[in-house]
Amino acid sequence: LNKIDSGAVNCGDEDMMMDNTAVRVSPKKFKKIRELNRRRNYFTKRVRNALRVYIAKTLWDSPARSELDLSSAKTVLLMRNEGAIGDVVVDSALVKCLHQSGFIVDFLLTKSNSQVMRYHPGIRRIYEAENVASGDFLRKFTHNVPESVINELANNKYDIVIDPSLFDMPIHRMLLLRQIKAKSVLGFNKWASINHYSKSFDFDCENWHVSQTYTFIAEHLNLDKKHLERYDLHIPEDIYQQTRQYLAGLVGRKVIINIFAGHPDRSLSQAQLSSLIGKLQEAYPDVQIILLDHRNEIRLPLPEKVSINPFKTLHHAMALIAEADLIISPDTSVVHMAAAWRKPLVAIYKDVRMNNRLWAPGYDNARQIIVKCGKVHQMENLASLIMREIEGGVLAKEPARDCLNDR
């Protein structure tokens, strides 16, 4: 992907030491100590998680591995009873591929991310687990799926269960697989000794795009991979009509700006938003700017031709993105919604080695800015970098490699 390296940008003095300390540590040495502590904490976390998974395996793993019988397989359960909306947006490509190949597809989601797939025609039934924080989901020995849902899933007797998670295995995953009586389970980067998984694919999270997980599954199940080319989001026609009517009243090109991400470190500040709005209006006086503000936190005085999304539902936001001329957003579900329609996009990412490529926009008409300073909201000239992407014509020229179609 074409990326802008912002490592030289002044992001604020994170290493400033207090003047009245008894012992002074140089900023360089302080950074080294902090890095060593980070590595130690990461190692300790991995060891603890491995011990928990070993205990879970002892308690709940299948006594023997079951091989997948493709000749009789008809029903599939996708499991995403964790994760954010963006994860489910990406999963939509696999849903379409399975459905077009003749499989009956059910989806286990959470109450918060299930809304993404509410209108998808390729899903027979959506089952909902309780919402859960990521840390609790990974560490606890109890899962978030209600007993009534477990009973229904077990009675459905799925031929294939697909677990698309890539990183640390939830401690309770084997318990859930045992409770729903999973026959054959496909997963990624799971221990070879865990018998519940009929097949666990080795996936390089640092160098491959997340969409390539479904290429592995499609090849293993002999599916037609042409259905994986795009994410597959569905919006009711009445919602489309409402958003089109709203946009028709705004004369000029439509730019959608979202400043919020799942973590404050990945979000833009309102000062950055103000600067960006000013530069956009100066360079393109005809542009209509629509701000996504699902948190109701934007406090800026809005100039003429700038408005906040008047709609309250996720599917209205999807429809606005589908109809926009340009989307600007940090690393969040908005990026992947834009990818569903290949919209011109400038995406801003905090520099995280295992995330930059894995969750990149992944298509030709998008540009990804990598913020090296650690926190997106500290980047002083972010608005100028975004404008450089727009003004330089990079959204239409010199396309990046399309990660959604190649591995």
Side-chain angles (χ1 to χ4, degrees), residues 266-406:
R266 294 189 284 121
S267 300
L268 279 69
S269 69
Q270 299 204 27
Q272 288 170 322
L273 173 62
S274 179
S275 176
L276 178 58
I277 289 173
K279 291 179 182 298
L280 274 169
Q281 291 193 318
E282 181 180 1
Y284 306 100
D286 68 310
V287 158
Q288 295 280 350
I289 299 173
I290 303 166
L291 308 179
L292 300 183
D293 185 21
H294 64 286
R295 299 179 181 177
N296 195 28
E297 292 181 3
I298 293 178
R299 297 291 180 263
L300 297 176
L302 301 182
E304 188 179 356
K305 295 188 178 181
V306 179
S307 58
I308 289 178
N309 170 23
F311 304 106
K312 302 302 179 185
T313 76
L314 175 67
H315 285 87
H316 281 92
M318 286 183 186
L320 287 174
I321 290 168
E323 297 292 320
D325 296 295
L326 171 68
I327 294 93
I328 300 169
S329 176
D331 174 19
T332 190
S333 60
V334 170
V335 168
H336 309 297
M337 292 175 194
W341 290 282
R342 298 293 201 273
K343 304 303 293 187
L345 167 74
V346 177
I348 305 98
Y349 281 53
K350 176 184 175 182
D351 186 22
V352 179
R353 181 173 58 88
M354 298 294 281
N355 182 75
N356 295 345
R357 174 71 174 177
L358 182 67
W359 289 103
Y363 63 102
D364 290 353
N365 216 20
R367 291 298 173 267
Q368 182 184 26
I369 297 174
I370 302 294
V371 176
K372 296 286 188 179
C373 65
K375 297 178 181 179
V376 170
H377 62 79
Q378 293 179 330
M379 190 174 191
E380 294 179 357
N381 70 334
L382 181 59
S384 296
L385 285 178
I386 294 171
M387 291 302 300
R388 191 170 79 189
E389 287 297 281
I390 300 169
E391 294 168 348
V394 224
L395 292 175
K397 300 175 183 177
E398 301 175 8
R401 184 159 54 108
D402 193 334
C403 304
L404 296 180
N405 292 323
D406 70 89

Side-chain angles (χ1 to χ4, degrees), residues 60-62 64 174 177-178 182-185 194-198:
W60 302 313
D61 194 15
S62 175
M174 282 176 278
L177 292 174
R178 181 172 180 173
K183 296 178 185 178
S184 299
V185 185
I194 297 178
N195 292 325
H196 269 305
Y197 289 88
S198 307

Side-chain angles (χ1 to χ4, degrees), residues 9-248:
V9 175
N10 179 14
C11 299
D13 189 3
E14 293 184 316
D15 303 303
M16 185 178 294
M17 305 300 295
M18 295 179 62
D19 291 334
N20 298 323
T21 52
V23 178
R24 293 183 180 275
V25 181
S26 70
K28 189 174 182 179
K29 186 173 291 185
F30 182 73
K31 281 186 177 180
K32 181 67 174 178
I33 294 171
R34 188 169 56 183
E35 176 62 24
L36 290 173
N37 283 335
R38 188 180 296 117
R39 291 182 183 180
R40 182 194 63 186
N41 293 338
Y42 177 76
F43 176 76
T44 302
K45 176 183 174 182
R46 299 291 295 179
V47 170
R48 287 175 179 170
N49 185 72
L51 288 173
R52 292 190 183 104
V53 172
Y54 179 78
I55 294 171
K57 172 177 167 54
T58 303
L59 293 172
W60 302 313
D61 194 15
S62 175
R65 181 172 279 108
S66 174
E67 296 301 323
L68 173 59
D69 181 8
L70 278 179
S71 63
S72 60
K74 296 180 179 179
T75 57
V76 177
L77 174 68
L78 268 70
M79 299 174 63
R80 187 68 83 173
N81 55 313
E82 44 77 30
I85 287 173
D87 300 338
V88 184
V89 171
V90 175
D91 292 338
S92 66
L94 180 59
V95 171
K96 179 181 179 180
C97 190
L98 288 164
H99 176 67
Q100 293 289 341
S101 300
F103 284 96
I104 298 170
V105 183
D106 288 350
F107 215 150
L108 175 61
L109 296 163
T110 66
K111 291 181 177 179
S112 61
N113 65 22
S114 64
Q115 56 185 316
V116 179
M117 306 301 287
R118 182 179 301 166
Y119 304 106
H120 200 292
I123 298 176
R124 177 182 68 174
R125 176 80 185 271
I126 290 176
Y127 293 93
E128 289 186 338
E130 299 298 327
N131 295 330
V132 62
S134 177
D136 291 339
F137 184 82
L138 290 172
R139 289 191 300 266
K140 287 187 174 182
F141 280 83
T142 55
H143 56 65
N144 58 335
V145 184
E147 184 177 354
S148 60
V149 173
I150 291 173
N151 292 335
E152 285 194 58
L153 297 177
N155 290 333
N156 288 341
K157 299 178 181 179
Y158 294 103
D159 298 312
I160 304 171
V161 175
I162 298 175
D163 175 6
S165 61
L166 293 173
F167 294 104
D168 293 335
M169 182 173 182
I171 308 305
H172 48 70
R173 183 60 96 205
M174 282 176 278
L175 170 62
L176 180 58
L177 292 174
R178 181 172 180 173
Q179 289 175 323
I180 66 175
K181 302 175 184 177
K183 296 178 185 178
S184 299
V185 185
L186 304 180
F188 297 89
N189 299 336
K190 302 301 185 286
W191 291 8
S193 61
I194 297 178
N195 292 325
H196 269 305
Y197 289 88
S198 307
K199 176 68 176 179
S200 178
F201 305 96
D202 293 328
F203 192 83
D204 184 351
C205 295
E206 185 174 351
N207 295 304
W208 291 346
H209 192 264
V210 63
S211 60
Q212 303 312 315
T213 56
Y214 307 127
T215 301
F216 283 97
I217 292 174
E219 290 174 351
H220 192 71
L221 299 181
N222 298 323
L223 308 179
D224 188 344
K225 291 188 289 184
K226 72 180 181 182
H227 300 301
L228 295 174
E229 291 178 357
R230 291 197 181 197
Y231 306 147
D232 190 42
L233 302 180
H234 290 262
I235 303 170
E237 186 56 35
D238 63 325
I239 290 179
Y240 258 131
Q241 290 177 356
Q242 292 166 14
T243 54
R244 285 168 180 159
Q245 184 177 4
Y246 165 70
L247 292 172

